[in-house]
Amino acid sequence: MPRAATDVMQSILFSAVLDAIAALKTASGNLPNNLLRQVQAIHNNVTFADLPEELQAAISASTRTAFTQLLKEGYSVAPRDAVAAPTRTQPRHGEVVDRGARGPRGPRPTGGARPGGSGGPPRGPRPAGGGPGGGKPRGPRKP
């Protein structure tokens, strides 16, 4: 039975970390002060070239082993450009395209409380000017 990708990656990362720790111990000459100095030299901006040679070799070997193990488990490893993206066919003329659920369709409520609204009358076209008579309110006419 094939193992899940999560299990494969967990075992790969676990063995890579153990190999890196062993390489750091070897690079320090098994001296605790040197080991502590080398561990403290590792930070967010450290580059591959800044690491001890033994650790560089362990990382390279772990990377090769990881790809080999992924391929052996049946997973595909390829550059992003080499993998063909799935193509979507264009809908034919007149074909209905489902763009996902938009909620239930049905009659709109005619009064009462609206979901997310103020509970007032349903909105519709409003007269120009915003007032009930449409237009600006006027004062008494001058003779």
Side-chain angles (χ1 to χ4, degrees), residues 23-62:
L24 278 173
K25 283 183 178 180
T26 304
S28 68
N30 287 326
L31 298 173
N33 289 341
N34 288 346
L35 177 62
L36 183 61
R37 227 176 273 123
Q38 287 180 346
V39 169
Q40 288 178 339
I42 299 172
H43 52 82
N44 290 342
N45 295 330
V46 72
T47 63
F48 187 73
D50 294 336
L51 299 173
E53 290 180 18
E54 292 85 353
L55 184 57
Q56 290 178 14
I59 291 173
S60 298
S62 294

Side-chain angles (χ1 to χ4, degrees), residues 98-118:
D98 181 23
R99 302 215 188 271
R102 294 185 183 150
R105 296 233 176 194
R108 293 181 134 190
T110 56
R114 291 193 315 256
S118 62

Side-chain angles (χ1 to χ4, degrees), residues 42-114:
I42 299 172
H43 52 82
N44 290 342
N45 295 330
V46 72
T47 63
F48 187 73
D50 294 336
L51 299 173
E53 290 180 18
E54 292 85 353
L55 184 57
Q56 290 178 14
I59 291 173
S60 298
S62 294
T63 305
R64 282 190 297 275
T65 303
F67 281 111
T68 304
Q69 190 171 355
L70 282 171
L71 290 172
K72 192 161 81 173
E73 291 288 335
Y75 291 99
S76 175
V77 180
R80 191 177 284 189
D81 297 338
V83 178
T87 58
R88 292 175 45 190
T89 59
Q90 294 293 329
R92 292 183 295 274
H93 181 70
E95 184 177 359
V96 177
V97 177
D98 181 23
R99 302 215 188 271
R102 294 185 183 150
R105 296 233 176 194
R108 293 181 134 190
T110 56
R114 291 193 315 256

Side-chain angles (χ1 to χ4, degrees), residues 126-135:
R126 294 186 178 170

